[in-house]
Coordinates of all heavy atoms in Angstrom, one line a residue:
E179 N 22.4 45.7 -38.8 CA 22.4 47.1 -38.6 C 23.8 47.7 -38.7 O 24.1 48.8 -39.3 CB 21.7 47.6 -37.4 CG 21.6 49.1 -37.2 CD 21.0 49.8 -38.4 OE1 20.1 49.3 -39.0 OE2 21.5 50.9 -38.7
R180 N 24.8 47.0 -38.1 CA 26.2 47.5 -38.2 C 26.6 47.5 -39.6 O 27.3 48.5 -40.0 CB 27.1 46.5 -37.4 CG 27.2 46.7 -36.0 CD 28.1 45.7 -35.4 NE 28.4 45.9 -34.0 CZ 29.2 45.1 -33.3 NH1 29.9 44.1 -33.9 NH2 29.5 45.4 -32.0
Y181 N 26.3 46.5 -40.4 CA 26.7 46.4 -41.8 C 26.1 47.6 -42.5 O 26.7 48.4 -43.3 CB 26.3 45.1 -42.5 CG 27.2 44.0 -42.4 CD1 26.9 42.9 -41.7 CD2 28.5 44.1 -43.0 CE1 27.8 41.8 -41.6 CE2 29.4 43.0 -42.9 CZ 29.0 41.9 -42.2 OH 29.9 40.8 -42.1
M182 N 24.8 47.8 -42.3 CA 24.1 48.9 -43.0 C 24.6 50.3 -42.7 O 24.7 51.1 -43.5 CB 22.5 48.8 -42.7 CG 21.9 47.5 -43.3 SD 22.3 47.2 -45.1 CE 21.7 48.7 -45.8
S183 N 24.9 50.4 -41.4 CA 25.5 51.8 -41.0 C 26.8 52.1 -41.7 O 27.1 53.2 -42.0 CB 25.6 51.9 -39.5 OG 26.6 51.1 -39.0
V184 N 27.6 51.1 -41.9 CA 28.9 51.3 -42.6 C 28.6 51.5 -44.1 O 29.1 52.5 -44.6 CB 29.8 50.0 -42.4 CG1 31.0 50.2 -43.3 CG2 30.2 49.9 -41.0
Y185 N 27.9 50.6 -44.7 CA 27.7 50.8 -46.1 C 26.8 51.9 -46.6 O 26.9 52.4 -47.7 CB 27.2 49.4 -46.7 CG 28.2 48.3 -46.5 CD1 27.9 47.2 -45.8 CD2 29.5 48.5 -47.0 CE1 28.9 46.2 -45.6 CE2 30.5 47.6 -46.8 CZ 30.2 46.4 -46.1 OH 31.1 45.5 -45.9
R186 N 25.9 52.4 -45.7 CA 25.1 53.5 -45.9 C 25.9 54.8 -46.2 O 25.5 55.6 -47.0 CB 24.2 53.8 -44.7 CG 22.9 54.5 -45.0 CD 22.1 54.6 -43.7 NE 21.5 53.3 -43.4 CZ 21.5 52.8 -42.2 NH1 22.2 53.3 -41.2 NH2 21.0 51.6 -42.0
Q187 N 27.1 54.8 -45.7 CA 28.0 56.0 -45.9 C 28.4 56.2 -47.3 O 28.6 57.3 -47.8 CB 29.3 55.8 -45.0 CG 29.0 55.8 -43.5 CD 30.2 55.5 -42.8 OE1 31.3 56.2 -43.0 NE2 30.2 54.5 -41.9
G188 N 28.4 55.0 -48.1 CA 28.7 55.1 -49.5 C 27.7 55.7 -50.4 O 27.9 56.1 -51.5
A189 N 26.5 56.0 -49.8 CA 25.4 56.7 -50.5 C 25.8 58.1 -50.8 O 25.3 58.8 -51.7 CB 24.1 56.6 -49.8
N190 N 26.7 58.7 -50.0 CA 27.2 60.0 -50.2 C 28.3 59.9 -51.2 O 29.4 59.4 -50.9 CB 27.7 60.6 -48.8 CG 28.4 61.9 -49.0 OD1 29.0 62.2 -50.0 ND2 28.2 62.8 -48.0
L191 N 28.0 60.4 -52.4 CA 29.0 60.2 -53.5 C 30.3 60.9 -53.3 O 31.3 60.4 -53.7 CB 28.3 60.7 -54.8 CG 27.1 59.9 -55.3 CD1 26.6 60.5 -56.6 CD2 27.4 58.4 -55.4
E192 N 30.3 62.0 -52.6 CA 31.6 62.7 -52.3 C 32.4 61.7 -51.3 O 33.7 61.6 -51.5 CB 31.4 64.0 -51.6 CG 30.9 65.1 -52.6 CD 30.6 66.4 -51.8 OE1 31.1 66.6 -50.7 OE2 29.9 67.2 -52.5
F193 N 31.8 61.2 -50.4 CA 32.5 60.2 -49.5 C 32.9 59.0 -50.2 O 33.9 58.4 -50.0 CB 31.7 59.9 -48.2 CG 32.5 59.1 -47.2 CD1 33.7 59.6 -46.7 CD2 32.1 57.8 -46.9 CE1 34.4 58.8 -45.8 CE2 32.8 57.1 -46.0 CZ 34.0 57.6 -45.4
A194 N 32.0 58.5 -51.1 CA 32.3 57.3 -51.9 C 33.6 57.5 -52.7 O 34.4 56.6 -52.9 CB 31.1 56.9 -52.8
D195 N 33.8 58.8 -53.2 CA 35.0 59.1 -54.0 C 36.2 59.0 -53.0 O 37.2 58.5 -53.5 CB 34.8 60.5 -54.5 CG 36.1 60.9 -55.4 OD1 36.3 60.2 -56.4 OD2 36.7 61.9 -55.0
V196 N 36.1 59.5 -51.8 CA 37.2 59.3 -50.8 C 37.5 57.9 -50.6 O 38.7 57.5 -50.6 CB 36.8 60.0 -49.5 CG1 37.9 59.7 -48.4 CG2 36.7 61.5 -49.7
I197 N 36.5 57.0 -50.5 CA 36.7 55.6 -50.3 C 37.5 55.0 -51.5 O 38.5 54.3 -51.3 CB 35.4 54.8 -50.1 CG1 34.7 55.3 -48.8 CG2 35.6 53.3 -50.1 CD1 33.3 54.8 -48.6
V198 N 37.0 55.3 -52.7 CA 37.7 54.8 -53.9 C 39.1 55.3 -54.0 O 40.0 54.5 -54.2 CB 36.9 55.3 -55.2 CG1 37.7 55.0 -56.5 CG2 35.5 54.6 -55.2
R199 N 39.3 56.6 -53.8 CA 40.7 57.1 -53.8 C 41.6 56.5 -52.7 O 42.7 56.3 -52.9 CB 40.7 58.6 -53.8 CG 40.2 59.2 -55.1 CD 40.3 60.8 -55.2 NE 39.5 61.4 -54.2 CZ 39.9 62.1 -53.1 NH1 41.2 62.2 -52.9 NH2 39.1 62.7 -52.3
G200 N 41.0 56.3 -51.6 CA 41.7 55.7 -50.4 C 42.1 54.3 -50.7 O 43.3 53.9 -50.4
H201 N 41.2 53.5 -51.4 CA 41.6 52.2 -51.8 C 42.8 52.2 -52.8 O 43.6 51.3 -52.8 CB 40.4 51.4 -52.3 CG 39.5 50.8 -51.3 ND1 40.0 49.9 -50.4 CD2 38.2 51.1 -51.0 CE1 39.0 49.6 -49.5 NE2 37.9 50.3 -49.9
E202 N 42.7 53.2 -53.7 CA 43.8 53.3 -54.7 C 45.1 53.7 -54.1 O 46.1 53.1 -54.4 CB 43.3 54.2 -55.8 CG 42.2 53.7 -56.6 CD 41.6 54.7 -57.6 OE1 42.0 55.9 -57.6 OE2 40.7 54.3 -58.3
N203 N 45.1 54.7 -53.3 CA 46.4 55.2 -52.7 C 46.1 56.0 -51.5 O 45.8 57.2 -51.5 CB 47.1 56.0 -53.7 CG 48.6 56.3 -53.3 OD1 48.9 56.3 -52.1 ND2 49.5 56.5 -54.3
Y204 N 46.2 55.4 -50.3 CA 45.9 56.0 -49.0 C 46.8 57.2 -48.8 O 46.3 58.2 -48.3 CB 46.2 55.0 -48.0 CG 46.0 55.5 -46.5 CD1 44.7 55.7 -46.0 CD2 47.1 55.7 -45.8 CE1 44.6 56.2 -44.7 CE2 47.0 56.2 -44.4 CZ 45.7 56.4 -43.9 OH 45.5 56.9 -42.7
D205 N 48.0 57.1 -49.2 CA 49.0 58.2 -48.9 C 48.7 59.5 -49.7 O 49.2 60.6 -49.3 CB 50.4 57.8 -49.2 CG 50.9 56.7 -48.3 OD1 50.6 56.8 -47.1 OD2 51.5 55.7 -48.7
E206 N 47.9 59.4 -50.8 CA 47.6 60.6 -51.5 C 46.3 61.3 -51.0 O 46.0 62.4 -51.5 CB 47.4 60.2 -53.0 CG 48.7 59.9 -53.7 CD 48.5 59.6 -55.2 OE1 47.4 59.8 -55.7 OE2 49.5 59.3 -55.8
L207 N 45.7 60.8 -50.0 CA 44.5 61.4 -49.4 C 45.0 62.6 -48.5 O 46.1 62.6 -48.0 CB 43.7 60.5 -48.5 CG 43.1 59.3 -49.2 CD1 42.4 58.4 -48.1 CD2 42.0 59.8 -50.2
T208 N 44.2 63.6 -48.4 CA 44.4 64.7 -47.4 C 44.3 64.1 -46.0 O 43.8 63.0 -45.9 CB 43.5 65.8 -47.6 OG1 42.2 65.4 -47.2 CG2 43.4 66.4 -49.0
N209 N 44.8 64.8 -45.1 CA 44.7 64.4 -43.7 C 43.3 64.1 -43.2 O 43.0 63.1 -42.6 CB 45.4 65.3 -42.7 CG 47.0 65.2 -42.9 OD1 47.5 64.3 -43.3 ND2 47.6 66.3 -42.5
S210 N 42.4 65.0 -43.6 CA 41.0 64.8 -43.2 C 40.4 63.7 -43.9 O 39.6 62.9 -43.4 CB 40.2 66.1 -43.4 OG 40.2 66.5 -44.7
E211 N 40.8 63.5 -45.2 CA 40.3 62.3 -45.9 C 40.8 61.0 -45.3 O 40.1 60.0 -45.3 CB 40.6 62.4 -47.4 CG 39.9 63.5 -48.1 CD 40.4 63.7 -49.6 OE1 41.6 63.4 -49.8 OE2 39.6 64.2 -50.4
K212 N 42.1 61.0 -44.9 CA 42.6 59.8 -44.2 C 41.9 59.5 -43.0 O 41.6 58.3 -42.7 CB 44.1 60.0 -43.9 CG 45.1 60.0 -45.0 CD 46.5 60.2 -44.6 CE 47.4 60.2 -45.8 NZ 48.8 60.4 -45.4
I213 N 41.5 60.5 -42.2 CA 40.7 60.2 -41.0 C 39.3 59.6 -41.4 O 38.9 58.6 -40.8 CB 40.5 61.5 -40.2 CG1 41.9 61.9 -39.6 CG2 39.4 61.3 -39.1 CD1 41.9 63.3 -38.9
A214 N 38.7 60.2 -42.4 CA 37.4 59.7 -42.8 C 37.4 58.3 -43.3 O 36.7 57.4 -43.0 CB 36.7 60.7 -43.8
F215 N 38.4 58.1 -44.2 CA 38.6 56.8 -44.8 C 39.0 55.7 -43.7 O 38.5 54.6 -43.7 CB 39.7 56.8 -45.8 CG 40.1 55.5 -46.5 CD1 39.1 54.9 -47.4 CD2 41.3 54.9 -46.3 CE1 39.4 53.7 -48.0 CE2 41.6 53.7 -47.0 CZ 40.7 53.1 -47.9
G216 N 39.8 56.2 -42.8 CA 40.2 55.3 -41.7 C 39.0 54.9 -40.8 O 38.9 53.8 -40.4
F217 N 38.2 55.9 -40.4 CA 37.0 55.6 -39.6 C 36.1 54.6 -40.4 O 35.5 53.8 -39.8 CB 36.3 56.9 -39.2 CG 37.0 57.7 -38.1 CD1 36.6 59.0 -37.9 CD2 38.0 57.1 -37.4 CE1 37.2 59.7 -36.9 CE2 38.6 57.9 -36.4 CZ 38.2 59.2 -36.1
F218 N 36.0 54.8 -41.6 CA 35.1 54.0 -42.5 C 35.7 52.5 -42.3 O 34.9 51.6 -42.1 CB 35.1 54.4 -43.9 CG 34.4 53.5 -44.8 CD1 33.0 53.4 -44.8 CD2 35.1 52.6 -45.6 CE1 32.3 52.5 -45.7 CE2 34.5 51.7 -46.5 CZ 33.1 51.7 -46.5
L219 N 37.0 52.3 -42.6 CA 37.5 51.0 -42.5 C 37.5 50.4 -41.1 O 37.2 49.2 -41.0 CB 39.0 51.0 -43.1 CG 39.1 51.3 -44.5 CD1 40.6 51.3 -44.9 CD2 38.4 50.3 -45.4
E220 N 37.8 51.2 -40.1 CA 37.7 50.7 -38.8 C 36.3 50.3 -38.4 O 36.1 49.2 -37.9 CB 38.1 51.8 -37.8 CG 38.2 51.4 -36.4 CD 38.8 52.5 -35.5 OE1 39.1 53.6 -36.0 OE2 38.8 52.3 -34.3
N221 N 35.3 51.0 -38.8 CA 33.9 50.6 -38.6 C 33.6 49.4 -39.4 O 32.8 48.5 -38.9 CB 32.9 51.7 -38.9 CG 32.9 52.8 -37.8 OD1 32.8 52.4 -36.7 ND2 33.0 54.0 -38.2
A222 N 34.1 49.3 -40.6 CA 33.8 48.1 -41.4 C 34.4 46.8 -40.8 O 33.8 45.8 -40.7 CB 34.4 48.2 -42.8
C223 N 35.6 47.0 -40.2 CA 36.3 45.8 -39.5 C 35.5 45.4 -38.2 O 35.2 44.3 -38.0 CB 37.7 46.2 -39.1 SG 38.8 46.3 -40.5
I224 N 35.0 46.4 -37.5 CA 34.2 46.1 -36.3 C 32.9 45.5 -36.6 O 32.5 44.5 -36.0 CB 34.0 47.4 -35.5 CG1 35.4 47.9 -34.9 CG2 33.0 47.2 -34.3 CD1 35.4 49.3 -34.3
A225 N 32.3 46.0 -37.7 CA 31.0 45.4 -38.1 C 31.2 44.0 -38.6 O 30.4 43.1 -38.3 CB 30.4 46.2 -39.3

Side-chain angles (χ1 to χ4, degrees):
E179 183 52 39
R180 279 182 171 179
Y181 274 114
M182 294 311 299
S183 70
V184 170
Y185 296 122
R186 202 176 289 128
Q187 296 173 54
N190 177 321
L191 295 181
E192 289 177 15
F193 186 62
D195 182 61
V196 171
I197 295 169
V198 169
R199 289 187 293 111
H201 278 298
E202 290 170 356
N203 192 333
Y204 176 76
D205 292 318
E206 289 184 4
L207 296 176
T208 67
N209 287 338
S210 58
E211 289 172 335
K212 285 180 181 179
I213 290 170
F215 181 67
F217 284 165
F218 172 77
L219 291 180
E220 185 175 356
N221 282 314
C223 290
I224 292 168

